[in-house]
Structure formats: C-alpha cells, structure tokens
Amino acid sequence: MTEHDHPARPGPPATAPGFRRIPDLDGRTFLICIGAMKAATSWLFAQLQATGGVAVSPLKEVHFFDARFATNALMDADALAMARLAFHIEQPGDKPANLRRRPAFRASLDRARMIYDPNAYFEHFAGLCRADTKVLADITPAYACIGAEGFRYMRAALASQRMRPRVLFILRDPVDRLWSHIRFLRQLRPGTDPLRDWPELLEDPVTLARSDYRQTILDLEEAFAPEEITYLFHETLIPDGFRRLCDELGVTPQAIDTETRYNRTEFDAELPAPARAAFREALEA
C-alpha cells in the first residue's frame, strides 16, 4: 500500500446519527487524524496549532468516536474525560474565572457533555471557529481501532455537517512503532516491564490492533472516499509530509519545527533481538 493507493470509491455513508447541523461549520474542512499511535501525532498537533487558519481542539486527544466503539480501547475514554474535568475544577483560584480564561478547561467541559449529548462534539469545534478558520482538527490516534462500523458512524456524523471531511493516517515502521507502544505502556500501566512482558503483550489483541495497518485501512476505505483520505509516513512526515498535508488542506505552514520531540517515551531500551524476530513474525501473520 503506497501513499496514493486506494480501492474503488466506497458506497454512501450510513444515515447521519442524529446530529444537528451547525451553520458556523459550513464550508470548512474537518481533519481527523486517526494515528497511528506513537507516530509523531503530538508533533503534528503542535505544528497545526501554529498554522494559520487551523483550529485544533485544545484536547490533543478528544476520544469521541472510540468512546462509542471501544472494543480495542486502552482505557475508558469517558472516565478519562471526567478525570480531566475534575482536575480543572480542583485547581486553585476563582473557578468561573478559570473557566473563562483556560481553553483546556472549557474543552474538558465540552468533552464531558459529549458523554450524554453527541451534538456537543461539533458544538465544541464550532466554538473554536474564527472568521479566518479554514480547518478544524481532531487528533486522536485511538480512532485507528474503531473498526468498520466506527468509521461508518464517523463518516455519517461528518456528513451531517456541510464540511469537507479529511482523514489522516500516519504509518510508521510497524516493528519500531510496536516497540515504542509497548515501552509507552509502562507510563499507562505502572508495573509493566517491556523487557519482561513483551511476549505476553504480543498476544494481546488490543495491543496488536494498533499495528494492524491493513485492517485499519480496509475499515477506513469502506467508509470514506479516496479523495477524503491522506496517508503519510512517519519517516518522511517532517517536514515533507507535513507540507503535503498543508497543501491538501489549503493552508500555509509556519516555520516547521524539525528539532523538538513531543510525548517522548520515558522508558528507553533497545529492542532485544529475539523480540524483534517475534514482532516481525506476529506482524506478518
């Protein structure tokens, strides 16, 4: 699969799942980055934040669609949303003033509303719009694992608004990505030892789902048309892939940061040779 290979156009999207149309969104492009996890999506988030005409959710990961299609979820996305909101509420100072002053606080309140009212998803992005906003962006790598039904729901939701949908999937060398992911699990699950636990994690379907690029692409292309999808590669994302994405979005990138590494995995260790061989065997199966 190259950056430009696509199957035939999919059929029409499923019925829109009850979203109200929001006129403030009309004519804009809605970008959803579905991952892959540990493929420089935090860097992408920072670059898009600095790009004129782009409004990115202050929540680097909104976790709206994977909360509804959670088969391969690493966490309870709605519980995370409530924890984030509680964090902001508990901060010192005048709470209403904090809410007015802090975009992340307001975004966390919007995300909590999404638990019981799906319209809060597009209302959140409408609240970010300015007169010069061309592109709205949700960067949530967990969306790569929502499956065909999840992508059909996503496409139907976008079809409820008069926007141009664009889905971005960044692919990274699968062995390197998987090892980075397993090392990162140490931060999510205290007590995890990647050097000890990799054989067990290699049997975990939730872990492997994030490396199953083929299934993600098949599911994605069942719901979205070829012209609505962009594939980039982690290895060439900085800066050429990002420039290509900006061209497709119709925006002009600022000075591209090629030095800063974001969301660096704290546990650093070389992949043992037996693990590398086992990873390749598992990923080629």
Side-chain angles (χ1 to χ4, degrees):
M1 178 73 65
T2 71
E3 293 185 24
H4 304 288
D5 289 338
H6 299 279
R9 175 188 291 271
T15 303
F19 290 90
R20 293 189 297 272
R21 188 176 74 81
I22 302 175
D24 285 348
L25 298 177
D26 289 0
R28 307 181 198 270
T29 297
F30 199 91
L31 172 69
I32 300 182
C33 176
I34 65 168
M37 185 177 177
K38 308 306 294 180
T41 55
S42 294
W43 179 90
L44 175 69
F45 174 78
Q47 292 301 298
L48 288 174
Q49 280 188 315
T51 300
V54 180
V56 187
S57 172
L59 302 176
K60 189 269 175 176
E61 300 185 14
V62 180
H63 288 293
F64 174 72
F65 295 104
D66 57 311
R68 285 154 176 76
F69 299 89
T71 301
N72 290 307
L74 286 171
M75 68 189 84
D76 184 331
D78 288 341
L80 173 64
M82 295 304 296
R84 281 193 299 205
L85 179 58
F87 168 81
H88 288 288
I89 292 173
E90 292 165 2
Q91 295 308 295
D94 182 74
K95 290 176 174 49
N98 288 347
L99 181 63
R100 287 190 293 269
R101 187 171 57 250
R102 297 175 182 170
F105 191 173
R106 297 194 299 275
S108 295
L109 181 60
D110 288 346
R111 177 57 184 83
R113 287 184 54 229
M114 294 176 204
I115 295 172
Y116 61 88
D117 181 6
N119 288 289
Y121 180 71
F122 288 120
E123 289 170 359
H124 168 64
F125 286 97
L128 304 176
C129 288
R130 301 295 179 264
D132 64 345
T133 301
K134 297 180 179 179
V135 179
L136 297 158
D138 173 1
I139 301 175
T140 306
Y143 293 163
C145 300
I146 62 176
E149 184 182 1
F151 285 126
R152 287 193 296 269
Y153 179 92
M154 178 187 288
R155 183 62 183 86
L158 294 174
S160 72
Q161 310 299 318
R162 294 180 182 172
M163 296 187 294
R164 291 178 293 273
R166 171 69 59 177
V167 179
L168 170 64
F169 189 31
I170 304 171
L171 294 86
R172 178 182 178 182
D173 177 279
V175 171
D176 291 344
R177 195 221 65 81
L178 179 56
W179 181 232
S180 181
H181 171 81
I182 288 176
R183 288 187 290 116
F184 182 70
L185 287 178
R186 185 183 179 100
Q187 294 165 227
L188 296 179
R189 305 171 185 170
T192 299
D193 181 348
L195 293 172
R196 179 198 64 208
D197 299 338
W198 68 260
E200 178 182 350
L201 291 167
L202 204 56
E203 300 294 327
D204 176 21
V206 173
T207 299
L208 286 179
R210 282 152 180 77
S211 290
D212 193 349
Y213 299 158
R214 180 179 182 275
Q215 191 60 55
T216 294
I217 290 169
L218 288 173
D219 292 340
L220 179 63
E221 293 183 348
E222 181 180 319
F224 287 84
E227 63 270 20
E228 296 172 339
I229 305 171
T230 296
Y231 294 107
L232 296 176
F233 295 106
H234 170 270
E235 291 77 9
T236 56
L237 176 65
I238 308 170
D240 294 339
F242 182 68
R243 288 199 183 101
R244 176 192 155 196
L245 175 66
C246 288
D247 286 345
E248 292 184 359
L249 297 174
V251 296
T252 302
Q254 309 302 308
I256 300 175
D257 180 2
T258 61
E259 301 297 329
T260 306
R261 288 187 61 185
Y262 294 83
N263 198 26
R264 185 191 296 267
T265 300
E266 295 173 2
F267 180 78
D268 191 15
E270 291 293 325
L271 177 61
R276 182 174 295 277
F279 282 17
R280 291 195 179 280
E281 182 178 355
L283 294 170
E284 291 172 357

